[in-house]
Amino acid sequence: MSDYQCINLSSNHDVAVVRLVDDRVMDAGRIAMLGEELLSLASTHSGGKVLINLENVRFLSSSALNKLIVLEKRLSGNGGYLKLANLRHEVAEVFHITQLDTVFDIRSTEKQAFKAFDDEDEAPVRPGS
């Protein structure tokens, strides 16, 4: 877990919990590294559950948003789930303006995201399938 420079990774039961290190994700080099780390995470948690807590993030560039889209596609393509939680108002507004709030499962709190993961475990068919 210490191999990551752009994310802090922990786990809560069967959910990988990710927190971004930078509060402003806009530097091209850091975004490239973030993308590599997220893809590595997608490989190690293929078919699993990943929660990204964005509580410390104040700004995400379009390139950083793209890395999240790639992660979501990779996870869902392998039967996994991605949830975002604790978005600050300014970040939530970017997701709304870009209509990415319709792509991602965004929850107000980590607790709500964990509950949603539990609900999916009980559901016979994945929502949106």
Side-chain angles (χ1 to χ4, degrees):
M1 287 187 216
S2 61
D3 294 337
Y4 297 116
Q5 294 181 24
C6 295
I7 63 174
N8 289 322
L9 178 63
S10 60
S11 65
N12 187 329
H13 301 286
D14 60 342
V15 178
V17 180
V18 176
R19 287 183 172 75
L20 276 59
V21 171
D22 301 327
D23 67 340
R24 297 180 57 80
V25 186
M26 54 192 285
D27 175 77
R30 290 291 283 185
I31 292 169
M33 187 179 300
L34 173 65
E36 290 173 16
E37 292 178 6
L38 292 175
L39 288 180
S40 169
L41 180 69
S43 296
T44 59
H45 289 78
S46 178
K49 302 172 187 175
V50 176
L51 166 61
I52 299 182
N53 183 323
L54 294 170
E55 68 186 342
N56 295 323
V57 177
R58 297 176 186 277
F59 179 81
L60 286 170
S61 71
S62 58
S63 296
L65 290 171
N66 184 56
K67 301 302 181 189
L68 293 176
I69 293 167
V70 170
L71 175 63
E72 199 285 326
K73 287 183 179 186
R74 180 79 50 97
L75 285 170
S76 64
N78 290 321
Y81 297 94
L82 174 66
K83 302 209 180 307
L84 307 179
N86 292 6
L87 278 68
R88 292 175 172 265
H89 173 74
E90 57 269 29
V91 173
E93 188 67 20
V94 170
F95 277 83
H96 177 70
I97 290 169
T98 59
Q99 297 183 353
L100 289 174
D101 56 350
T102 64
V103 173
F104 291 99
D105 186 345
I106 301 173
R107 303 297 170 136
S108 297
T109 65
E110 272 193 17
K111 184 177 180 178
Q112 290 175 352
F114 287 123
K115 169 99 172 74
F117 280 128
D118 289 342
D119 292 346
E120 286 170 347
D121 287 339
E122 298 169 8
V125 177
R126 183 173 175 185
S129 302

